[in-house]
């Protein structure tokens, strides 16, 4: 069935009310029909004898028959009323979905448009249906002139404006575009059309021949039919504004009804937002009247009704309807709660997608984790640069979870592309990719990043720097057996104390601190495990010593003695002080690299700082660790020397092993670890350096001090990769930026230390974007590059809170919607419910009994 033509088989609300009144009248006419067969004593038709002969039993029987007849009639009337109300309630939900579409897109209007819809549409105005900013459909020209004049035509925004002879542009408010049917319509002609067959204008049924816009648009807007419909539209709109229409009283009642439902819905939506933001469950185990706990949603409604008259009146009306066994709309049902969640989440998501599209270029970040029901959930985060009100912000926004069905790179790529298409994002506008370092995602040959690069070569891949730094540490920790033994002892210590509440109490009493477990994925776990042991080493030894007491059970005494011997070791003490100093700097770098919206130039600087620390301080760190270990060993009487170990000479080997002392062996082991850490950072940061090198021309130092020869070398690196960056324009704009900085009286030497974000912020703040368009674009592309998937990891934390073991059967759409409302709560709290509530209230007010 084409859009706009609906053949409803059920009667309208007015027809249902008329049918109900007719049935009620016909039933009431039968109320006294049985009395004609009963003789009354005073009716004059019978003698006194006849009256006297009539037995009391007959009189009683006749009165009982009359009474039963009346009760049967009343029951029939009530059944008829309840039947009509039940039918209306059953059809209300499907009718609401259909009517909501009518208020959203012009192609869903049926011809002729019903009066009540015409009023609501005119109140809404043509601007909400116009969609003049596109995107517009592309149509192929089927005739023979296609080869000469072009085979493809597309509607443009300019057609929504009429050019006057004096050059002034006037908006054609009657012209509206439907993204659903991809047709152009006349707002007023379709609104007042009598039928779809009798009309001649294609602007009523839908116009799509873009190559005929000239002269069809001009002919239509000057036609008599269009001018008549335009006058009817403006007259009715003015009447509605001044409340001077024929059915003004009914409209006034509708407005009162709409306000009542608007107030109710506003409160219910606020409750929904609050529960979603706090990651709380909505429903309870039992929600009937006998339950003492009906779930957070209903309990909060009842609590607020004590202080709010609107909700109190709503609940009283629902209780009265329940007592009378009448069907009444409450908007408190579980299905309605899900609709509230979906509407709010879609509203937030639409605003986010609109911001992304306005930024034009964006970067994608995807990462997955299993949920409580063992479903692999993929998180989607989009990174883009937002410039608004002369302020620049690098944003990373969450667009939802979706389940994975396969671990293969081809299947993952297909799922990612489908998700982006459903969100309305074009993969060709993607300029950056960010994943963890798993081979499936980051593989150069056959990984997800390489598959997406085949579709869009400009989508630069940059692995997560946090994950890379964590891998550097993992490889360094496993460099030698002594280091592995050290971290194994820390893990044993955690297992020992956490195995018993008594042991844990002894630990807390002595140290006032807890021990942490190690983790290969949690980046700060090793630092958190080493720090308390180093700071309270004496207290830890005392706690373990107390657990060696004979009063403890055999298992505790044995484990404590083994652990005490492991701690009272010179090698353990050396690595304890060594890793405490190293991991403190590493943890500081990791915390910084998880900053939301961090740019690539800052990442390069931080990694280089850490690399220089490991390179320049390697000897000092090792010597300081041995020095501290010697002092602690002397305090506890721990042996620092042992019998020299010699390596077995192989056949033919002449040189004899000199043998290393314990201190020398530990020194060599620690140097091996720190050198491995340094080499891993150097190798893994090479790819990041290459990407940063491509944008060398737009770095602050180059923008200020680079010579013409240097710019001629650095600018082509960027312009050859991005065809949207003009080499000649960028070459002219860099000196122009220097002049702008001088005019703003800013010291150029200070600008050399600026980050990329600060340079773009200066351009936006002083409104130089129009003067420096290519440079601004280059800076935006650089800031779009993903550096970490920490935002995806943060969404996993929300996932664990929302879908826990008590809510493990939650549906996928509900999970994704709740996650959007929780993660993007800052945007969700600023939602304007006016448009959504107006649609709900209008649909509800139409069912009011006038």
């Amino acid at each position: 069935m084409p859009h706009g033509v609906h053949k409803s088989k059920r009667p309208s609300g007015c027809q249902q009310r008329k049918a109900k009144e007719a049935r009620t009248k016909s039933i009431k006419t039968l109320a006294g029909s049985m009395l004609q067969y009963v003789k009354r004593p005073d009716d004059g038709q019978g003698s006194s004898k006849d009256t006297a002969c009539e037995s009391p039993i007959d009189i009683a029987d006749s009165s009982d028959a009359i009474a039963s007849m009346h009760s049967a009639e009343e029951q029939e009337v009530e059944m008829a009323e309840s039947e009509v109300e039940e039918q209306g309630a059953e059809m209300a939900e499907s009718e609401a979905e259909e009517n909501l579409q009518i208020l959203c897109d012009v192609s869903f209007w049926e011809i002729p448009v019903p009066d009540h819809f015409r009023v609501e549409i005119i109140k809404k105005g043509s601007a909400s249906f116009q969609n003049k900013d596109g995107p517009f459909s592309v149509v192929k020209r089927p005739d023979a002139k296609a080869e000469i004049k072009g085979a493809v035509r597309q509607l443009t925004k300019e057609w929504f404006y009429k050019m006057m002879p004096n050059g002034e542009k006037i908006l054609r408010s009657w012209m509206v575009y439907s993204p659903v049917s991809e047709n152009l319509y006349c707002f007023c002609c379709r609104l007042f059309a009598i039928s779809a067959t009798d009309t001649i204008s294609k602007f009523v049924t839908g116009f799509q021949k873009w190559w005929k816009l000239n002269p069809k648009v001009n002919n239509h807007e000057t036609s008599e039919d269009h001018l008549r419909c335009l006058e009817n539209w403006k007259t009715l709109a003015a009447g509605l504004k001044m409340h001077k229409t024929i059915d003004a009283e009914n409209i006034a009642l509708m407005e009162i009804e709409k306000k009542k439902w608007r107030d109710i819905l506003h409160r219910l939506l606020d409750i929904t937002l609050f529960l979603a933001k706090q990651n709380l469950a909505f429903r309870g185990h039992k929600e009937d009247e006998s339950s003492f706990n009906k779930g957070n949603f209903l309990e909060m409604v009842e609590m607020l009704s004590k202080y709010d008259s609107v909700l109190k009146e709503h609940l009283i009306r629902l209780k009265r309807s329940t007592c009378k066994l009448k069907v009444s709309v409450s908007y408190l049902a579980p299905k309605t709660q899900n609709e509230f969640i979906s509407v709010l989440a879609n509203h937030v998501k639409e605003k986010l997608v609109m911001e992304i599209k306005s930024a034009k270029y964006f970067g994608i970040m995807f990462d997955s984790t299993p949920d409580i029901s063992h479903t692999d959930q993929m998180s989607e985060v989009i990174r883009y640069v937002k410039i608004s009100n002369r302020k620049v912000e690098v944003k990373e926004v969450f667009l939802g979870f979706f389940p994975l069905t396969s671990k293969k790179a081809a299947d993952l790529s297909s799922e990612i592309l489908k998700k982006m298409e459903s969100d309305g994002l074009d993969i060709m506008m993607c300029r950056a990719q960010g994943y963890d370092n798993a081979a499936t995602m980051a593989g150069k040959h056959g990984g997800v990043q390489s598959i997406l690069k085949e579709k869009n070569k400009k989508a630069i891949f940059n692995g997560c720097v946090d994950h890379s730094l964590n891998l550097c540490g993992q490889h360094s920790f496993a460099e030698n057996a002594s280091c592995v033994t050290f971290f194994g002892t820390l893990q044993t210590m955690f297992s020992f104390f956490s195995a018993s509440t008594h042991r844990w109490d002894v630990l807390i009493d002595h140290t006032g601190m807890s021990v942490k477990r190690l983790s290969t994925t949690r980046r700060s776990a090793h630092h958190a495990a080493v720090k308390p042991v180093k700071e309270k080493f004496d207290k830890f030894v005392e706690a373990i010593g107390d657990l060696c007491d004979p009063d403890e059970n055999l298992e505790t005494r044995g484990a404590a003695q083994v652990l005490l011997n492991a701690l009272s070791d010179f090698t353990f003490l050396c690595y304890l002080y060594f890793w405490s100093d190293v991991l403190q700097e590493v943890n500081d770098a990791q915390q910084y690299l998880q900053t939301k919206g961090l740019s690539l130039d800052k990442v390069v600087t931080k990694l280089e700082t850490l690399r220089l620390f490991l390179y320049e301080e390697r000897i000092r760190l090792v010597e300081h660790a041995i020095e501290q270990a010697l002092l602690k060993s002397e305090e506890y009487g721990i042996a620092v020397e042992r019998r020299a170990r010699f390596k077995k000479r192989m056949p033919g080997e002449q040189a004899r092993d000199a043998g290393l002392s314990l201190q020398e062996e530990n020194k060599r082991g620690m140097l091996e670890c720190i050198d491995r850490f340094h080499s891993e950072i150097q190798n893994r940061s090479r790819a990041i350096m290459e990407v940063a090198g491509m944008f060398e021309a737009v770095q602050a130092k180059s923008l200020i001090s680079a010579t013409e020869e240097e710019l001629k070398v650095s600018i082509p690196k960027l312009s050859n990769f991005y065809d949207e960056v003009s080499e000649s324009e960028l070459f002219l704009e860099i000196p122009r930026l220097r002049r702008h900085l001088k005019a703003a009286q800013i010291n150029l030497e200070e600008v050399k230390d600026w980050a990329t974000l600060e340079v773009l912020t200066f351009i936006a703040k002083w409104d130089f974007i129009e003067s420096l368009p290519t440079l601004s674009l280059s800076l935006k592309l650089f800031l779009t590059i993903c550096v970490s998937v920490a935002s995806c990891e943060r969404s996993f934390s929300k996932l664990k809170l929302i879908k826990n073991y008590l809510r493990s059967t939650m549906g996928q759409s509900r999970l994704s919607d709740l996650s959007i409302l929780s993660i993007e709560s800052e945007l969700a709290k600023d939602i304007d419910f006016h448009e959504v509530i107006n649609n709900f209230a209008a649909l509800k007010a139409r069912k009011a009994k006038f």
Side-chain angles (χ1 to χ4, degrees):
M1 183 181 295
H3 291 295
V5 181
H6 296 273
K7 297 182 178 179
S8 179
K9 295 183 179 179
R10 66 175 188 79
S12 65
C14 179
Q15 292 172 338
Q16 290 182 23
R17 289 193 292 272
K18 288 182 179 179
K20 175 185 172 183
E21 291 175 1
R23 284 195 296 270
T24 305
K25 288 180 181 179
S26 64
I27 292 172
K28 289 183 177 180
T29 56
L30 301 175
S33 59
M34 290 294 294
L35 296 178
Q36 59 181 328
Y37 301 106
V38 181
K39 296 181 180 180
R40 299 180 181 177
D42 56 347
D43 61 357
Q45 294 182 4
S47 62
S48 59
K49 183 178 178 181
D50 295 335
T51 306
C53 294
E54 187 176 14
S55 64
I57 298 175
D58 295 337
I59 296 174
D61 291 344
S62 63
S63 62
D64 290 343
I66 294 170
S68 63
M69 186 65 186
H70 278 293
S71 63
E73 292 164 0
E74 291 173 358
Q75 290 177 2
E76 189 172 353
V77 172
E78 291 179 357
M79 289 175 63
E81 292 178 353
S82 63
E83 181 182 356
V84 173
E85 292 179 354
E86 288 176 0
Q87 290 176 353
E90 290 174 357
M91 293 181 289
E93 185 176 353
S94 61
E95 182 184 350
E97 295 180 359
E98 178 183 346
N99 295 340
L100 190 59
Q101 291 179 338
I102 294 175
L103 293 174
C104 293
D105 193 271
V106 64
S107 64
F108 290 108
W109 299 357
E110 61 182 28
I111 298 178
V113 178
D115 292 339
H116 57 274
F117 274 133
R118 185 180 292 120
V119 171
E120 292 301 327
I121 291 170
I122 290 178
K123 284 183 179 180
K124 198 176 179 70
S126 65
S128 57
F129 299 92
Q130 204 160 22
N131 300 309
K132 65 178 185 296
D133 295 324
F136 304 113
S137 62
V138 178
V139 178
K140 291 184 177 181
R141 187 169 183 169
D143 55 11
K145 295 182 180 179
E147 296 181 359
I148 302 173
K149 297 187 176 182
V152 176
R153 288 290 186 272
Q154 186 177 15
L155 180 66
T156 59
K157 185 178 179 180
E158 285 71 19
W159 282 104
F160 287 86
Y161 295 89
K162 182 178 181 180
M163 182 66 71
M164 303 301 292
N166 62 353
E168 182 182 359
K169 289 185 178 180
I170 298 178
L171 178 67
R172 290 186 170 107
S173 59
W174 60 267
M175 185 180 290
V176 293
Y177 177 77
S178 168
V180 177
S181 64
E182 298 181 343
N183 285 333
L184 199 64
Y185 296 91
C186 177
F187 180 81
C188 54
C189 293
R190 188 171 176 84
L191 198 60
F192 291 94
I194 300 175
S195 66
T197 55
D198 296 339
T199 182
I200 300 175
S201 176
K202 290 294 183 181
F203 286 92
V204 176
T205 57
F207 183 85
Q208 201 181 42
K209 297 181 179 179
W210 308 137
W211 60 91
K212 292 187 177 181
L213 284 170
N214 185 16
K216 291 293 185 181
V217 172
N218 184 58
N219 293 343
H220 175 77
E221 64 183 354
T222 56
S223 64
E224 293 183 4
D225 292 337
H226 172 76
L227 295 176
R228 175 177 49 79
C229 293
L230 183 64
E231 184 178 355
N232 292 340
W233 170 28
K234 297 302 180 181
T235 302
L236 182 55
L240 290 172
K241 190 174 183 180
M242 300 173 63
H243 304 286
K244 292 184 178 181
T245 55
I246 298 175
D247 53 350
E249 294 183 4
N250 287 345
I251 291 176
L253 291 175
M254 283 184 67
E255 290 299 326
I256 295 174
E257 191 75 7
K258 283 174 61 175
K259 185 180 183 304
K260 181 190 78 173
W261 286 106
R262 184 184 296 113
D263 293 340
I264 293 172
L265 287 170
H266 190 96
R267 287 154 176 79
L268 296 181
L269 289 172
D270 273 337
I271 293 173
T272 304
L273 269 182
F274 173 78
L275 294 176
K277 179 183 176 182
Q278 300 302 120
N279 309 309
L280 298 174
F282 279 67
R283 301 190 60 189
H285 179 67
K286 190 177 181 182
E287 296 185 347
D288 56 15
E289 290 297 326
S290 62
S291 176
F292 292 101
N293 188 354
K294 302 173 185 176
N296 291 327
F297 186 85
L298 296 180
E299 290 293 335
M300 186 168 287
V301 171
E302 290 191 5
M303 181 193 69
L304 293 178
S305 66
K306 297 178 182 179
Y307 311 99
D308 185 74
S309 59
V310 175
L311 285 178
K312 186 175 182 179
E313 180 184 353
H314 182 56
L315 293 182
I316 292 174
R317 184 179 62 83
L318 291 178
K319 290 180 179 178
R320 289 177 179 175
S321 301
T322 304
C323 294
K324 295 181 181 180
L325 301 178
K326 290 184 178 180
V327 179
S328 181
V329 178
S330 66
Y331 291 120
L332 301 178
K335 187 175 182 180
T336 308
Q337 296 174 27
N338 290 341
E339 291 174 355
F340 286 158
I341 296 170
S342 178
V343 167
L344 292 171
N346 288 337
H347 188 81
V348 172
K349 191 173 181 179
E350 286 174 3
K351 292 186 70 174
L352 292 174
V353 172
M354 192 179 302
E355 280 189 2
I356 296 170
K357 289 183 176 179
S358 64
K360 191 173 182 179
Y361 301 115
F362 58 87
I364 58 175
M365 293 180 284
F366 289 90
D367 199 4
S368 65
T369 188
D371 61 16
I372 193 67
S373 60
H374 307 291
T375 301
D376 209 4
Q377 299 285 352
M378 178 72 87
S379 173
E380 179 188 13
V381 176
I382 305 298
R383 179 185 173 106
Y384 61 97
V385 179
K386 178 183 178 182
I387 301 178
S388 178
N389 298 324
R390 298 187 180 184
K391 294 181 180 179
V392 181
E393 184 180 4
V394 180
K395 301 193 68 176
E396 293 178 358
V397 297
F398 173 78
L399 293 186
F401 290 111
F402 61 95
L404 297 180
T405 56
S406 175
K407 294 287 189 179
K408 296 180 180 179
D411 297 331
L412 291 175
S413 303
S414 177
E415 292 289 339
I416 289 173
L417 291 174
K418 287 180 182 178
K419 183 65 170 61
M420 292 182 63
E421 184 179 359
S422 66
D423 294 336
L425 299 177
D426 186 3
I427 186 62
M428 300 309 295
M429 294 294 105
C430 176
R431 290 296 178 267
Q433 303 179 67
Y435 318 116
D436 58 18
N437 289 289
T440 306
M441 303 296 292
K444 292 183 178 180
H445 307 287
V448 171
Q449 65 99 358
S450 63
I451 294 175
L452 294 185
K453 268 190 175 180
E454 292 177 0
K455 295 183 175 294
N456 181 7
K457 295 181 180 180
K458 300 177 185 178
I460 297 175
F461 168 71
N462 187 41
C464 175
V465 291
D466 283 308
H467 192 264
S468 298
L469 189 56
N470 191 52
L471 290 177
C472 293
Q474 292 299 322
H475 292 156
S476 178
F477 301 151
E479 182 61 23
N480 56 58
S482 298
C483 188
V484 173
T485 303
F486 166 73
F487 285 109
T489 303
L490 293 179
Q491 181 63 32
T492 303
M493 186 184 301
F494 171 81
S495 302
F496 171 74
F497 284 111
S498 62
S500 167
T501 55
H502 168 64
R503 300 176 189 175
W504 195 266
D505 291 339
V506 172
L507 174 67
I508 298 299
D509 290 341
H510 281 81
T511 65
M513 303 174 68
S514 61
V515 289
K516 305 295 183 182
R517 73 169 72 204
L518 299 178
S519 174
T520 57
T521 56
R522 196 165 57 250
R523 300 174 179 88
S524 59
H526 285 73
H527 176 257
V530 171
K531 183 179 178 181
V533 179
K534 184 250 185 181
E535 292 180 353
K536 297 290 183 73
F537 180 80
D538 298 336
K539 300 295 183 182
F540 274 94
V541 172
E542 290 179 9
I544 297 172
D546 286 352
L547 292 173
C548 294
D549 192 89
D551 295 337
E552 301 291 340
N553 59 50
L554 182 61
E555 182 182 358
T556 300
R557 292 201 313 270
Q561 189 62 52
V562 172
L563 187 58
L564 186 60
N565 293 335
L567 264 65
S568 303
D569 182 73
F570 179 70
T571 302
F572 178 85
L573 292 173
C574 288
Y575 280 96
L576 177 64
Y577 289 102
F578 168 73
W579 281 118
S580 176
D581 294 339
V582 173
L583 290 178
Q584 184 175 357
E585 289 293 325
V586 174
N587 183 66
D588 177 71
Q590 286 181 327
Q591 295 294 331
Y592 178 78
L593 294 176
Q594 295 177 39
T595 305
K596 201 171 184 179
L598 193 65
S599 59
L600 190 63
D601 55 339
K602 293 182 179 180
V603 171
V604 172
T605 302
K606 193 64 178 179
L607 289 178
E608 183 63 15
T609 302
L610 180 59
R611 189 193 68 80
L612 290 175
F613 168 78
L614 296 175
Y615 179 74
E616 296 175 355
E617 301 291 328
R618 58 191 293 271
I619 301 297
R620 187 192 65 80
L621 290 171
V622 172
E623 291 179 351
H624 177 264
I626 293 176
E627 180 183 348
Q628 293 295 320
L630 287 172
L631 294 175
K632 189 64 68 174
S633 297
E634 183 179 355
E635 180 182 349
Y636 282 92
I638 300 173
V640 297
E641 294 294 340
R642 68 180 181 190
R643 183 173 61 86
R645 295 179 179 179
F646 297 94
K647 290 185 178 181
K648 182 180 178 181
R649 285 186 291 181
M650 301 301 293
E653 188 176 356
Q654 299 297 327
R656 188 172 183 271
D657 188 13
L660 296 177
S661 64
L662 185 57
Q663 294 185 33
E664 292 173 338
E665 189 173 339
N666 288 337
K667 182 176 181 179
R668 183 182 65 178
M670 288 185 285
L671 287 174
E672 287 176 355
C673 292
I674 200 169
D675 289 342
R676 178 65 184 273
F677 211 136
H678 174 267
S679 63
E680 287 287 337
I681 290 178
Q682 198 169 21
N683 293 333
R684 293 182 179 275
S685 60
R686 190 173 293 119
I688 301 175
M689 300 292 186
E690 291 178 1
V691 176
M694 186 172 64
F695 288 88
E696 179 186 358
V698 294
Q699 300 299 313
K701 189 174 181 180
S702 297
L703 290 174
I704 300 303
S705 59
T707 62
E708 288 189 14
E709 289 73 17
E710 292 173 339
L711 290 177
K712 288 179 180 179
V713 175
S714 58
I715 290 178
K717 296 179 183 178
L718 184 62
S719 60
N720 292 339
F721 189 82
Y722 294 109
D723 54 8
E724 54 263 50
V725 177
S726 172
E727 180 179 350
S728 58
E729 291 293 331
L730 186 58
F731 191 81
L732 294 174
E733 290 178 12
I734 292 177
R736 193 179 303 156
L737 171 67
R738 298 171 185 173
R739 293 192 293 271
H740 287 323
L741 289 167
K742 291 179 180 178
Q745 297 182 353
I746 296 176
N747 189 354
L748 297 184
E749 293 299 322
E750 295 179 357
V751 177
K752 292 180 181 180
D753 298 327
W754 281 7
T756 307
L757 180 60
E758 293 176 286
V759 178
L760 185 58
T761 301
F762 166 79
I763 295 174
K765 181 180 179 180
W766 290 79
D767 199 17
F768 291 145
I769 293 180
E770 186 177 358
S771 175
L772 308 168
T774 307
L775 178 58
S776 302
L777 173 61
S778 302
L779 295 172
K780 286 176 62 177
L781 290 173
F782 181 73
L783 292 173
T784 303
I785 297 174
C786 309
V787 298
S788 171
V789 293
S791 295
C792 295
E793 300 285 350
R794 295 187 189 98
S795 68
F796 297 157
S797 300
K798 293 291 185 180
L799 173 65
K800 306 301 181 186
L801 293 173
I802 295 171
K803 191 172 182 179
N804 52 37
Y805 73 100
L806 292 175
R807 306 164 74 184
S808 59
T809 59
M810 182 184 299
Q812 185 64 38
S813 60
R814 180 183 171 92
L815 169 63
S816 185
D817 292 341
L818 286 173
S819 301
I820 291 174
L821 294 176
S822 177
I823 296 171
E824 301 297 334
S825 57
E826 292 187 7
L827 181 60
K829 70 180 181 182
D830 297 329
I831 290 178
D832 184 9
F833 300 130
H834 185 71
E835 183 177 355
V836 177
I837 291 177
N838 268 347
N839 292 335
F840 273 104
L843 295 173
K844 183 60 184 174
R846 195 176 65 81
K847 304 183 184 73
K849 299 178 181 179
F850 300 113

